[in-house]
Each structure stands twice: as structure tokens, then as C-alpha cells.
Amino acid sequence: MANLPKSILAKDTPALLSSVARERRARLLNSVCLALALLWVVLVGFTLAPEPDDFQTYWRGAWSVAQYGDPYALIHGRQQPNMYIYPPLFAYLMLPLGAVSLRAGQIIWFGLNVLLLAGLIVVCIRASHSVLARRYWGVLALLVAVAPPTRLSLQLGQVSILMALVMLGSFLLAKRRAYLSGLLLALSCLIKVFPAALGLYFVLRRRVALLWAGAAGIAI
């Protein structure tokens, strides 16, 4: 810098200072938005219903496994409100929460959902390859946090955030790690059935190795 002509330094200095100022404003904005997003999540946590609809269903499946070894033992041959009717794998995955009270399990699941949401936001930003999204990641995090579907998913203890993260992982890994992508697809299908529609996309794309891995994962 000391050896550069003064004319060049004089020309480049304003642009450099402007760039530094923009970066500082972006960092400040991201920090403020992140703080607001965290505050919003905490407020959502205080509004958790005493008996959440969705989580209660998953908890009952896990509790039924812990008590009877069968996630469908409480149904007794007929459909009842808040009974576990999904594929059995998720009930077994939720087994640790079935060992605690409904309220304690709800709080733990809320915390896990928040962590999954953070992971989903990070993966989406990185996968987008968007310079704007990476620069203003805090703004994006705030917008996702306050979105009504996010709030409802957190309040009701839904599995939507987990499903989104697993399905997104399957989609992103389809070209680089087909077998891992197939296993993630299998996992999503074993939690709920509708992700099988993503399998149709892979059929059309002729991802043979991925589909074999998915089929093996479901069979296991």
C-alpha cells in the first residue's frame, strides 16, 4: 500500500471505506434480526398448549411402545382422537420422550424442533448459493421464524421441520451421495408416507442407486 501512487490510493479509498461500512451495517442488521428471532422463539415457547395436538399423537405412540411394545396398542381396532396412526418407526425414535410426562416431552421436543429449524435455515442458505441470502442471513432467519407455518409447527409440536430437513438433505445429496440420499428418503417415508412423492421424481430422473438404497432402507 505504501508503494502505490497516491492517485490510486485516493481513488480506491472511498470504495474500500464504503465496502467496510456496508459489511458493518450487514453485521449489525443480522445481529438485531437474530436477537428478534430468538426472542420470538422464546415467546412461542411460552404459548405452548398444555395438551398439544400433534405432539400428543407422537407421544402416545412412543408411550404405547414403552408400555406395550406396540405403537398402535391404544387404538383397539378403531380410530380414536390423537391416536398414533403413522408408520411405526417414528414412534420408536420418539421412545425416549415416551418415558417422560407429556408436558416434559413437549418442552424437550420444542427445543429439538428449534435446533432442527436452525439447521434447516443454515442448509437452505448454503444450498441457495445466494450472495444476498448469505449476507443478510439474520433477516432470512427472522422471516422464517415469524412465518405462520413455522409458529404453528413449533406450537403444535409437528414433525414438519424434521421432514423438511430430511427431504431437503435427500434432494441435495442425490447427485453426490446417492446411497445416503436414498436412506434419507427412506427415513422420511418411514416417518410419514407422503415423501414417497419425492421418490417419483427420482424415478423420472433415473436415480437407480438412490432408489435401491431407499428401498433397502425401507425393507430394513
Side-chain angles (χ1 to χ4, degrees), residues 40-94:
W40 174 257
V41 169
V42 171
L43 292 176
V44 172
F46 281 113
T47 64
L48 295 179
E51 294 187 1
D53 292 335
D54 293 74
F55 177 75
Q56 187 175 21
T57 299
Y58 309 138
W59 180 85
R60 284 188 175 182
W63 183 88
S64 183
V65 170
Q67 296 296 319
Y68 307 107
D70 179 7
Y72 311 111
L74 298 178
I75 296 180
H76 297 302
R78 61 178 181 175
Q79 180 64 43
Q80 299 179 20
N82 295 326
M83 291 295 102
Y84 187 83
I85 58 173
Y86 303 106
L89 176 64
F90 191 60
Y92 286 92
L93 294 177
M94 296 286 284

Side-chain angles (χ1 to χ4, degrees), residues 7 42 51 55 67 102 107 142 149 153 165 174 178 180 188 210 217:
S7 59
V42 171
E51 294 187 1
F55 177 75
Q67 296 296 319
L102 175 61
I107 295 173
L142 177 60
S153 185
L165 187 58
L180 180 56
S188 63
L210 186 156

Side-chain angles (χ1 to χ4, degrees), residues 187-215:
L187 175 61
S188 63
C189 292
L190 290 172
I191 295 176
K192 286 195 174 182
V193 179
F194 73 85
L198 183 59
L200 296 178
Y201 167 79
F202 290 135
V203 169
L204 295 176
R205 302 295 295 180
R206 298 182 180 180
R207 306 290 186 188
V208 179
L210 186 156
L211 294 171
W212 275 113

